[in-house]
Amino acid sequence: MQTFNSSEPIISISNLDYYFGKNQLRKQVLFNINLEINAGEIVIMTGPSGSGKTTLLTLVGGLRSFQSGSLRILGKELCGASARQLTQVRRSNGYIFQAHNLHESLTVIQNVRMSLELHPKISPEEMLARSKEILEVLGLGERLNYYPDSLSGGQKQRVAVARALVSKPKLILADEPTAALDKKSGRDVVELMQKLAKEQGCTILLVTHDNRILDIADRLIYMEDGYLIRSNVNSDIYSPTP
């Protein structure tokens, strides 16, 4: 059985190619991706629409299978992994998407608690306590029993952040988490993600077109036409405007 060595990168990708379709419709969309992301890093992936960012994120998250190259997450190889193995990978990650994907028929605290129900070793009492605690940290302590249609866009996205972080995953994957938010709400959400991730010691890989949040990253990755063009320490290429 594979175990994860904490000195290894959280994400290790080597010579990864990926194709959509089969036979004559087969089209390559990722080309020879090589990347390592270490524990505790916040990495933002940018680039034009259609450059392969979301495809790569879904591969890292175990949301797609593939057969070419190597992709290791927390020491587990995903190339050629079975459906069951990919499900196990998905359960160990936290996900935040552009659409908050909250269940409208559930309250705020019920939406967050759902994430913990995938972990049978956590008691119902602890599920409730942890859900309440993280929602209070995110400023939603007075809205535990509200339904999503009573919340603003920023509040809904904070619930989505709480749901992703409540199980204390080692890896958070975020796809355009600020795209539907105004400047202040978007900034608030990513700063809360940054703060909680640092406190919990987890790694974040975030896809965005939002140049206003690039400064939260430790490192920026730029993709174009399916290629990873560059990966730089943030301070090398970005300096916030005073």
Side-chain angles (χ1 to χ4, degrees):
M1 182 177 177
Q2 289 177 311
T3 57
F4 177 62
N5 183 338
S6 59
S7 65
E8 292 181 46
I10 292 286
I11 300 171
S12 181
I13 305 173
S14 302
N15 306 315
L16 173 65
D17 297 322
Y18 186 73
Y19 303 80
F20 282 141
K22 296 181 179 180
N23 302 324
Q24 293 180 336
L25 298 177
R26 193 172 189 241
K27 179 182 178 182
Q28 188 168 358
V29 293
L30 293 178
F31 300 83
N32 194 35
I33 303 296
N34 292 276
L35 176 67
E36 288 189 350
I37 297 177
N38 296 315
E41 275 196 290
I42 298 177
V43 177
I44 288 183
M45 189 158 43
T46 67
S49 296
S51 60
K53 304 183 300 299
T54 294
T55 299
L56 181 56
L57 193 76
T58 58
L59 290 173
V60 170
L63 300 174
R64 301 176 190 268
S65 60
F66 68 101
Q67 307 295 330
S68 178
S70 174
L71 171 53
R72 292 175 64 83
I73 305 298
L74 295 167
K76 296 180 180 179
E77 177 61 61
L78 300 195
C79 181
S82 67
R84 182 178 179 181
Q85 289 169 326
L86 292 176
T87 298
Q88 290 175 337
V89 169
R90 291 195 291 271
R91 286 180 175 176
S92 67
N93 299 332
Y95 299 89
I96 305 168
F97 300 102
Q98 176 178 344
H100 48 76
N101 296 324
L102 302 180
H103 289 267
E104 298 293 335
S105 62
L106 300 179
T107 64
V108 164
I109 197 165
Q110 289 171 337
N111 267 282
V112 174
R113 178 182 160 150
M114 275 187 64
S115 181
L116 293 173
E117 291 175 356
L118 298 172
H119 303 271
K121 293 182 180 180
I122 302 176
S123 69
E125 293 78 15
E126 186 180 353
M127 288 182 189
L128 189 64
R130 283 170 62 169
S131 299
K132 182 179 179 182
E133 179 184 14
I134 196 163
L135 285 165
E136 288 175 344
V137 169
L138 287 164
L140 294 168
E142 296 182 357
R143 289 174 168 76
L144 301 182
N145 297 311
Y146 282 45
Y147 288 90
D149 63 2
S150 301
L151 304 178
S152 68
Q155 289 170 336
K156 290 176 183 178
Q157 198 64 310
R158 277 189 275 163
V159 177
V161 171
R163 183 178 56 191
L165 287 165
V166 69
S167 63
K168 299 183 179 178
K170 293 192 179 299
L171 178 61
I172 296 288
L173 303 172
D175 191 6
E176 299 283 3
T178 65
L181 303 178
D182 60 46
K183 180 179 179 179
K184 184 180 185 306
S185 296
R187 186 75 198 183
D188 288 346
V189 165
V190 296
E191 285 182 349
L192 285 165
M193 286 172 58
Q194 179 188 37
K195 177 178 181 290
L196 289 174
K198 292 298 184 184
E199 288 175 355
Q200 295 186 6
C202 74
T203 302
I204 294 180
L205 178 59
L206 188 155
V207 167
T208 190
H209 288 104
D210 189 348
N211 292 333
R212 301 170 301 183
I213 66 169
L214 299 185
D215 60 299
I216 73 152
D218 299 311
R219 186 151 49 109
L220 300 177
I221 293 171
Y222 185 81
M223 290 193 69
E224 191 170 322
D225 297 330
Y227 291 90
L228 197 163
I229 303 298
R230 64 176 180 265
S231 176
N232 297 80
V233 175
N234 200 356
S235 59
D236 292 342
I237 58 175
Y238 180 82
S239 177
T241 302

